[in-house]
Amino acid sequence: FERQLDRIVEDFSYRMQMQGIGLEAYLKMNNMEPSAFRSMFREQAERQVRVRLALDTVAKLENLEVSAEELDAEYNRLAEQYKMEASRVRELIAEKDLKADLLTQKALELVKNAAKAVAPKAAEEAAADAGEEKKAEKKPAKRASKKAESGEEEKPAKKTTKKSPKTE
């Protein structure tokens, strides 16, 4: 978790430097302590770690693997993206780290492909229906238990109809 938090802070610092502002200058401008700044990203880091662990578990359970060809293709893609030689990218990014990232991507694709989309309106209605069913289930049980406690027998309610004075 702390490593992910460090990565997020480093990434933020890098983006600020790209805009011509150092992290220290940013903190001074915003009157922030470094510890308060880090704590802003704590929840994000925790969420990212949980997602990564879940996807790692999916990859293991589904026996996902990264082939040598997929690894080579990713090194070449990165080399092209950063306009570097593939050999230099291999020096900078450890094979095990790149494999782990590719496995996570595969697990994410698997989860996305297995997911079933539900229209927002239908999802709301289903949730509301589930809530109504729970309420309906609870009410008769309460009535029955109160009558059972008092020793009364449960009788069906009688329907009564009032006759209007005009029809008599």
Side-chain angles (χ1 to χ4, degrees):
F1 160 73
E2 287 298 320
R3 280 188 282 171
Q4 185 63 26
L5 186 56
D6 291 341
R7 285 186 196 122
I8 292 170
V9 170
E10 286 171 14
D11 183 56
F12 187 90
S13 176
Y14 176 75
R15 285 185 280 139
M16 293 308 298
Q17 286 176 351
M18 296 300 290
Q19 295 179 20
I21 302 170
L23 182 59
E24 290 174 16
Y26 175 84
L27 293 175
K28 281 182 185 177
M29 286 187 317
N30 290 292
N31 198 24
M32 288 184 108
E33 292 293 319
S35 60
F37 175 74
R38 282 180 63 84
S39 69
M40 286 179 7
F41 298 106
R42 195 166 295 286
E43 188 176 315
Q44 178 184 352
E46 286 178 14
R47 186 174 45 252
Q48 288 176 352
V49 168
R50 280 194 297 267
V51 167
R52 180 71 181 240
L53 289 172
L55 291 173
D56 288 349
T57 302
V58 168
K60 284 178 187 168
L61 292 173
E62 294 295 328
N63 298 316
L64 298 179
E65 293 181 8
V66 175
S67 69
E69 294 81 20
E70 290 170 320
L71 199 56
D72 287 340
E74 185 63 10
Y75 275 122
N76 291 331
R77 187 190 71 74
L78 291 169
E80 189 176 308
Q81 179 181 346
Y82 294 105
K83 303 196 183 340
M84 302 171 88
E85 292 294 320
S87 59
R88 179 70 180 136
V89 174
R90 285 180 185 275
E91 291 172 13
L92 295 171
I93 301 173
E95 185 175 309
K96 78 172 194 168
D97 293 338
L98 189 57
K99 261 187 179 179
D101 286 348
L102 290 173
L103 274 175
T104 300
Q105 288 175 10
K106 281 185 163 192
L108 180 59
E109 284 303 311
L110 182 76
V111 169
K112 283 179 5 183
N113 291 334
K116 296 194 188 311
V118 177
K121 184 126 178 129
E124 288 173 17
E125 289 172 1
D129 288 347
E132 290 300 317
E133 287 174 13
K134 285 183 181 180
K135 286 180 187 175
E137 289 172 5
K138 289 180 181 177
K139 286 182 182 178
K142 286 182 181 177
R143 284 187 201 131
S145 64
K146 284 182 183 176
K147 288 184 179 186
E149 287 172 10
S150 66
E152 289 181 37
E153 229 177 78
E154 200 170 324
K155 298 176 187 171
K158 293 182 181 176
K159 275 193 174 180
T160 57
T161 56
K162 280 190 174 179
K163 293 183 181 176
S164 67
K166 291 180 183 178
T167 57
E168 289 180 357

